Amino acid sequence: MDTLRGHDVANDQDDFDYADDAAIDAPLTVVSDERRMQVRAYNYWASLLGDRTLPSIEDLSPDQLEDFGPHSVLLDFSTGLDNPAIVYLGSALRQECEIDGSISYINDVPARSLLSRLTDHYLQIIANAAPIGFEAEFVNQRDAEILYRGILMPFSSDDETIDFVFGVINWKELASRDERQALELEVSAALSSIMPAPTNVPVWADGPAGGDTVDDAVDAAPLPPSVAPSAPMPVASLDEEPLDLSGMESPTDDAPLADWLALARDGADQFRTSEARSHAALYRAIGLAYDFALVAQARPDDYAELLADCGIKVQARSPMTAIIKLVFGAGYDKTRITEYATVLDHGRALGLGVGMLADHLSNYAGGLKALVRDERALRRAEAPPRPDKRETARNAMKAAAAIDPQALAMDTDGLAIVVARREADGSLALVAQLPEGSDLAQRVMLAAAR
């Protein structure tokens, strides 16, 4: 029996990427790898959004996703909701489900297989028009207990209709009940044989910050002179700022551009490696990246050389993305790269100078997330209305020249998928033909035969 626990994938209330953190609310026996794969998949989906409502299916290539592609499945709803087609099935998922031959539709999925658990949730995507994360446990076709975590993400061919769903799932197989009971008995026996610890040893009643100092403990049970401390041990407060970049000297105006990049990278590295990352540390790191961008703008030749050395290309529609990749690394999380680049664009639009962006971020109501949200809303408001793709296509077919029926390319069975137009005299004119053997032609053939 499944024990389903849905959860939100994205966290819009924080500036940090929790894909690098351990899962907090996961079952004890399911470690963070499953959640990390799920969050990486969500971040990938979000990176494909751009200015669209839904990511385009044309941008998705599951077979090229080395990270979670083998754990994924792609469903095609263009032939109907009741029995969507399976157009891609990852190798790891195929092996786990013991699927040797071809599998074309949801109805072909073996019962009690892991794939059947993932596809049970696909209708939720249609209802919510947003990614759905889930986790559960069940007994599979091999009578093994499986803990799994998955996510389903919507894709569209026209940015209006959800006609594809991309699912990613990871899993772990539990030991049998008898094996777990035997292990528990062994652990209990081992723990009972351990000698109790002596009680007359130095302790802190309430931890290092409690009332008993190290000196009090030494009075109660003196340590050897070689290790006895001469003063209470300093204890860092959890409220202290984990990073202090204020002592980092900024390069001089005539310093090489590489020095500015090194300073920005140092700030990014200190933020990422800090055990207690703070908003201030992140904002400093982004601010240093912005300072580097300002200097790079004044030294285009040096900037081009740095880009070439790192193998990074500038995108015309988002030039600040290259800056973030140089500072935080080209392999940094794509969603964060996009967000930080948006912040740099914001600073440039305001005309902020060197050393000003970090303070601006700190004082912005809602912080980085709110700034990115506001910038995206502003861009959508200023963007010209998108042309109606369907209306454009219909107009093109209305104006298209008629095709000679004798010139149509037919398949081996003498069939062709064509578009016809009703003329003023009531006759039909053939105005377009779908490419022979294309996926779209095959789907139209299947839909027509239903």
Side-chain angles (χ1 to χ4, degrees), residues 20 233 262 293 321-322 326 357 384 391:
D20 295 330
M233 183 182 300
T321 297
L326 275 175
L357 183 59
E391 188 64 25

Side-chain angles (χ1 to χ4, degrees), residues 149-274:
R149 177 178 280 119
I151 182 172
L152 293 170
M153 297 158 287
F155 282 79
S156 176
S157 58
D158 59 8
D159 200 26
E160 295 180 3
T161 306
I162 298 176
D163 43 13
F164 291 87
V165 169
F166 183 49
V168 175
I169 190 169
N170 206 356
W171 62 90
K172 283 189 178 295
E173 183 173 329
L174 291 176
S176 68
R177 188 178 304 276
D178 292 340
E179 291 174 333
R180 294 202 302 271
Q181 290 178 347
L183 180 60
E184 290 174 359
L185 290 175
E186 291 180 12
V187 172
S188 298
L191 291 176
S192 63
S193 65
I194 297 176
M195 293 294 293
T199 57
N200 58 339
V201 295
V203 295
W204 281 302
D206 300 311
D212 292 338
T213 65
V214 173
D215 286 338
D216 296 332
V218 172
D219 292 337
L223 297 174
S226 60
V227 296
S230 58
M233 183 182 300
V235 179
S237 167
L238 294 179
D239 295 329
E240 286 180 356
E241 179 60 48
L243 294 177
D244 182 10
L245 305 182
S246 59
M248 299 170 61
E249 295 183 0
S250 297
T252 60
D253 292 341
D254 58 350
L257 182 60
D259 289 357
W260 290 88
L261 177 58
L263 179 67
R265 284 177 172 174
D266 192 24
D269 289 341
Q270 290 195 44
F271 162 69
R272 286 184 298 184
T273 58
S274 171

Side-chain angles (χ1 to χ4, degrees), residues 349-401:
L350 292 181
L352 299 180
V354 172
M356 297 174 63
L357 183 59
D359 288 340
H360 177 73
L361 260 177
S362 299
N363 296 323
Y364 197 95
L368 183 147
K369 287 291 185 183
L371 189 154
V372 172
R373 180 198 62 216
D374 295 345
E375 279 292 308
R376 289 175 176 172
L378 180 62
R379 291 178 184 178
R380 286 194 294 268
E382 295 177 346
R386 298 178 186 174
D388 188 325
K389 295 181 179 179
R390 295 183 180 182
E391 188 64 25
T392 300
R394 294 179 67 87
N395 290 336
M397 292 297 95
K398 291 178 181 179

Side-chain angles (χ1 to χ4, degrees), residues 96-119:
E96 161 60 27
C97 298
E98 299 178 334
I99 298 175
D100 297 327
S102 62
I103 179 169
S104 302
Y105 295 94
I106 284 292
N107 289 348
D108 300 330
V109 174
R112 294 178 61 194
S113 68
L114 185 60
L115 185 57
S116 70
R117 320 317 297 173
L118 187 149
T119 54

Side-chain angles (χ1 to χ4, degrees), residues 8-33:
D8 294 331
V9 178
N11 182 354
D12 293 334
Q13 303 303 318
D14 207 306
D15 295 336
F16 303 135
D17 180 6
Y18 284 97
D20 295 330
D21 297 336
I24 296 174
D25 60 345
L28 182 61
T29 49
V30 182
V31 295
S32 59
D33 287 345

